[in-house]
Short mmCIF file of all heavy atoms in Angstrom, two decimals:
data_model
loop_
_atom_site.label_atom_id
_atom_site.label_comp_id
_atom_site.label_asym_id
_atom_site.label_seq_id
_atom_site.Cartn_x
_atom_site.Cartn_y
_atom_site.Cartn_z
N ASP A 1 3.82 -16.37 5.85
CA ASP A 1 4.58 -16.02 4.70
C ASP A 1 3.75 -15.32 3.68
O ASP A 1 4.06 -14.28 3.08
CB ASP A 1 5.34 -17.18 4.10
CG ASP A 1 6.46 -17.72 4.91
OD1 ASP A 1 7.03 -16.89 5.77
OD2 ASP A 1 6.81 -18.91 4.82
N GLU A 2 2.59 -15.97 3.36
CA GLU A 2 1.62 -15.36 2.44
C GLU A 2 1.17 -13.98 2.92
O GLU A 2 0.95 -13.11 2.18
CB GLU A 2 0.46 -16.27 2.27
CG GLU A 2 0.69 -17.66 1.56
CD GLU A 2 -0.41 -18.59 1.48
OE1 GLU A 2 -1.07 -18.72 2.51
OE2 GLU A 2 -0.54 -19.23 0.50
N ARG A 3 0.84 -14.01 4.16
CA ARG A 3 0.37 -12.66 4.79
C ARG A 3 1.37 -11.55 4.60
O ARG A 3 0.99 -10.47 4.24
CB ARG A 3 0.08 -12.87 6.27
CG ARG A 3 -0.61 -11.70 6.91
CD ARG A 3 -0.93 -11.92 8.39
NE ARG A 3 -1.89 -12.98 8.49
CZ ARG A 3 -1.90 -13.94 9.38
NH1 ARG A 3 -0.96 -13.94 10.33
NH2 ARG A 3 -2.78 -14.86 9.36
N ALA A 4 2.57 -11.83 4.78
CA ALA A 4 3.67 -10.81 4.63
C ALA A 4 3.69 -10.34 3.11
O ALA A 4 3.83 -9.22 2.89
CB ALA A 4 5.05 -11.32 5.10
N GLU A 5 3.64 -11.23 2.28
CA GLU A 5 3.69 -11.01 0.82
C GLU A 5 2.42 -10.07 0.43
O GLU A 5 2.54 -9.11 -0.33
CB GLU A 5 3.63 -12.25 -0.11
CG GLU A 5 3.93 -11.99 -1.51
CD GLU A 5 4.17 -13.20 -2.33
OE1 GLU A 5 4.58 -14.25 -1.70
OE2 GLU A 5 3.84 -13.24 -3.48
N VAL A 6 1.24 -10.46 0.90
CA VAL A 6 -0.03 -9.76 0.54
C VAL A 6 0.11 -8.32 1.26
O VAL A 6 -0.35 -7.31 0.67
CB VAL A 6 -1.28 -10.53 0.87
CG1 VAL A 6 -2.49 -9.62 0.88
CG2 VAL A 6 -1.32 -11.73 0.01
N ALA A 7 0.66 -8.32 2.50
CA ALA A 7 0.79 -7.01 3.13
C ALA A 7 1.62 -6.06 2.35
O ALA A 7 1.35 -4.91 2.22
CB ALA A 7 1.33 -7.22 4.57
N ASP A 8 2.74 -6.56 1.75
CA ASP A 8 3.56 -5.78 0.80
C ASP A 8 2.74 -5.27 -0.35
O ASP A 8 2.80 -4.10 -0.79
CB ASP A 8 4.78 -6.48 0.36
CG ASP A 8 5.74 -6.71 1.33
OD1 ASP A 8 5.79 -6.01 2.44
OD2 ASP A 8 6.64 -7.66 1.23
N GLN A 9 1.93 -6.19 -0.97
CA GLN A 9 1.09 -5.72 -2.12
C GLN A 9 0.06 -4.71 -1.65
O GLN A 9 -0.17 -3.77 -2.44
CB GLN A 9 0.39 -6.95 -2.61
CG GLN A 9 1.33 -7.93 -3.38
CD GLN A 9 0.63 -9.19 -3.77
OE1 GLN A 9 -0.25 -9.69 -3.06
NE2 GLN A 9 0.99 -9.64 -4.91
N LEU A 10 -0.55 -4.77 -0.49
CA LEU A 10 -1.52 -3.84 -0.03
C LEU A 10 -0.80 -2.54 0.31
O LEU A 10 -1.45 -1.45 0.06
CB LEU A 10 -2.30 -4.39 1.19
CG LEU A 10 -3.17 -5.59 1.00
CD1 LEU A 10 -3.74 -6.01 2.29
CD2 LEU A 10 -4.35 -5.17 0.04
N THR A 11 0.42 -2.57 0.81
CA THR A 11 1.18 -1.32 1.00
C THR A 11 1.38 -0.59 -0.31
O THR A 11 1.26 0.67 -0.39
CB THR A 11 2.49 -1.57 1.72
OG1 THR A 11 2.17 -2.33 2.95
CG2 THR A 11 3.33 -0.39 1.99
N THR A 12 1.75 -1.34 -1.37
CA THR A 12 1.98 -0.73 -2.57
C THR A 12 0.67 -0.16 -3.19
O THR A 12 0.64 0.94 -3.66
CB THR A 12 2.56 -1.71 -3.65
OG1 THR A 12 3.77 -2.18 -3.11
CG2 THR A 12 2.78 -1.09 -5.02
N LEU A 13 -0.43 -0.93 -3.03
CA LEU A 13 -1.74 -0.50 -3.50
C LEU A 13 -2.09 0.92 -2.81
O LEU A 13 -2.57 1.82 -3.44
CB LEU A 13 -2.73 -1.51 -3.27
CG LEU A 13 -4.20 -1.19 -3.68
CD1 LEU A 13 -4.82 -2.45 -4.34
CD2 LEU A 13 -5.03 -0.72 -2.59
N ALA A 14 -1.88 0.93 -1.46
CA ALA A 14 -2.27 2.04 -0.66
C ALA A 14 -1.49 3.28 -1.11
O ALA A 14 -2.01 4.40 -1.15
CB ALA A 14 -2.17 1.74 0.80
N SER A 15 -0.17 3.05 -1.51
CA SER A 15 0.57 4.20 -1.87
C SER A 15 0.25 4.82 -3.18
O SER A 15 0.46 6.00 -3.38
CB SER A 15 2.06 3.83 -1.82
OG SER A 15 2.38 2.94 -2.95
N LEU A 16 -0.42 4.04 -4.06
CA LEU A 16 -0.82 4.51 -5.40
C LEU A 16 -1.89 5.65 -5.33
O LEU A 16 -1.87 6.49 -6.11
CB LEU A 16 -1.40 3.40 -6.26
CG LEU A 16 -0.35 2.32 -6.73
CD1 LEU A 16 -1.17 1.21 -7.37
CD2 LEU A 16 0.63 2.90 -7.59
N ALA A 17 -2.70 5.56 -4.27
CA ALA A 17 -3.78 6.57 -4.16
C ALA A 17 -3.40 7.78 -3.29
O ALA A 17 -4.21 8.62 -3.20
CB ALA A 17 -5.04 5.82 -3.58
N ARG A 18 -2.21 7.76 -2.74
CA ARG A 18 -1.73 8.92 -1.98
C ARG A 18 -1.35 10.05 -2.88
O ARG A 18 -0.63 9.81 -3.91
CB ARG A 18 -0.64 8.62 -1.07
CG ARG A 18 -0.98 7.76 0.05
CD ARG A 18 0.25 7.67 1.02
NE ARG A 18 -0.04 6.51 1.88
CZ ARG A 18 0.68 5.46 1.96
NH1 ARG A 18 1.79 5.36 1.23
NH2 ARG A 18 0.39 4.46 2.81
N PRO A 19 -1.74 11.22 -2.57
CA PRO A 19 -1.32 12.32 -3.48
C PRO A 19 0.27 12.58 -3.35
O PRO A 19 0.79 12.18 -2.24
CB PRO A 19 -2.12 13.52 -2.84
CG PRO A 19 -2.70 13.08 -1.58
CD PRO A 19 -2.68 11.57 -1.46
N ALA A 20 0.88 13.14 -4.24
CA ALA A 20 2.22 13.51 -4.19
C ALA A 20 2.48 14.31 -2.99
O ALA A 20 1.79 15.25 -2.78
CB ALA A 20 2.65 14.17 -5.53
N GLY A 21 3.51 13.99 -2.26
CA GLY A 21 3.84 14.72 -1.05
C GLY A 21 3.08 14.23 0.18
O GLY A 21 3.34 14.59 1.27
N GLY A 22 2.12 13.32 0.10
CA GLY A 22 1.48 12.69 1.12
C GLY A 22 0.30 13.54 1.80
O GLY A 22 -0.21 13.14 2.78
N VAL A 23 0.09 14.75 1.24
CA VAL A 23 -1.09 15.53 1.75
C VAL A 23 -1.90 16.05 0.71
O VAL A 23 -1.47 16.13 -0.52
CB VAL A 23 -0.50 16.70 2.66
CG1 VAL A 23 0.31 16.23 3.93
CG2 VAL A 23 0.38 17.61 1.76
N SER A 24 -3.14 16.45 1.07
CA SER A 24 -4.06 17.01 0.11
C SER A 24 -5.00 17.96 0.75
O SER A 24 -5.29 17.85 1.91
CB SER A 24 -4.76 15.93 -0.78
OG SER A 24 -5.67 15.25 0.04
N ALA A 25 -5.66 18.83 -0.01
CA ALA A 25 -6.65 19.61 0.56
C ALA A 25 -7.69 19.83 -0.54
O ALA A 25 -7.45 19.80 -1.77
CB ALA A 25 -6.06 21.04 0.80
N GLY A 26 -8.93 20.20 0.03
CA GLY A 26 -10.03 20.44 -1.00
C GLY A 26 -9.96 21.85 -1.48
O GLY A 26 -9.03 22.55 -1.40
#
């Protein structure tokens, strides 16, 4: 149960650093 909750939090954390649209280029 705790793992599922933390997994949701990590998913949210990971989505914060994704660029808009999900892709980026240098």
Side-chain angles (χ1 to χ4, degrees):
D1 291 337
E2 292 173 318
R3 186 177 297 139
E5 190 173 332
V6 171
D8 286 343
Q9 292 174 319
L10 291 175
T11 300
T12 300
L13 182 141
S15 71
L16 291 173
R18 283 190 200 117
V23 296
S24 66

